[in-house]
Amino acid sequence: TSVNYSKENSNLILTSGEDQVLNLLDLKNGEKEDDYIEASYTSEQPLAECGFIGSTGLAYTITNINTIEIIDLETMLIVKNWGKFDHDINYAVQAQYINDKMLFFMGNNLGETYLYKYEKDTNDFEFLDMILSQEEDLNKHEGENVIIRNAF
């Protein structure tokens, strides 16, 4: 289950959960809980996380099978479904909207972390950076925490 408040409009809230439903709530609507629902979207997968993408009119969901859906909040339709990655990615760690950038932190079972940015203009994901843990380098530093970073 996920709840996310809009930073641009304090009356708007997104909720999502195992029931596969993303709800857009407007606290100005009515007096009962059901009155607050402005719009809903039903995914094909249970939803682990949701959030607003700034003031773009878009939202994101991360599903329980680690795909990312970009949703148009006006139509409540998917504008991008991202599940095939450029790297060996097993899971979505989290998403954050920072300095007008929608960032997704992805990872795999080797401890590697990848950073992607969603671009509204191109409706695509851009690879930004990665942190790799390479076993041969870790063996040289037994007992120490080592991060090997490759920046692009």
Side-chain angles (χ1 to χ4, degrees):
T1 302
S2 178
V3 177
N4 194 303
Y5 289 84
S6 170
K7 292 179 182 168
E8 282 75 27
N9 182 342
S10 61
N11 293 318
L12 297 180
I13 299 172
L14 284 174
T15 65
S16 67
E18 296 288 320
D19 62 357
Q20 302 171 273
V21 177
L22 172 74
N23 285 312
L24 174 63
L25 307 175
D26 187 341
L27 299 180
K28 285 185 178 179
N29 292 348
E31 295 179 14
K32 298 178 186 173
E33 183 178 342
D34 288 341
D35 295 339
Y36 296 139
I37 298 174
E38 183 78 15
S40 295
Y41 157 76
T42 302
S43 175
E44 293 180 8
Q45 301 297 328
L47 302 174
E49 184 178 331
C50 68
F52 292 92
I53 301 179
S55 59
T56 63
L58 300 174
Y60 72 88
T61 65
I62 298 176
T63 70
N64 282 4
I65 62 166
N66 296 301
T67 58
I68 296 172
E69 301 169 331
I70 305 297
I71 311 297
D72 182 313
L73 291 174
E74 188 173 321
T75 63
M76 295 308 268
L77 297 173
I78 294 178
V79 296
K80 181 72 173 183
N81 189 346
W82 189 43
K84 295 183 180 180
F85 310 107
D86 296 336
H87 297 90
D88 182 22
I89 293 174
N90 303 109
Y91 53 88
V93 178
Q94 75 173 138
Q96 290 185 5
Y97 188 76
I98 303 169
N99 297 329
D100 295 327
K101 294 182 180 97
M102 188 67 234
L103 303 175
F104 291 91
F105 298 85
M106 314 297 282
N108 65 24
N109 296 331
L110 301 173
E112 300 169 343
T113 305
Y114 299 89
L115 177 61
Y116 284 85
K117 175 176 72 168
Y118 173 72
E119 287 288 341
K120 181 183 178 189
D121 296 338
T122 61
N123 193 30
D124 210 355
F125 292 86
E126 176 187 346
F127 172 72
L128 296 179
D129 204 355
M130 66 180 144
I131 298 173
L132 301 177
S133 297
Q134 297 177 347
E135 190 171 322
E136 63 273 5
D137 290 324
L138 293 176
N139 288 337
K140 293 177 191 174
H141 302 278
E142 194 171 319
E144 297 178 35
N145 292 327
V146 176
I147 295 176
I148 297 156
R149 185 167 188 261
N150 295 325
F152 290 78

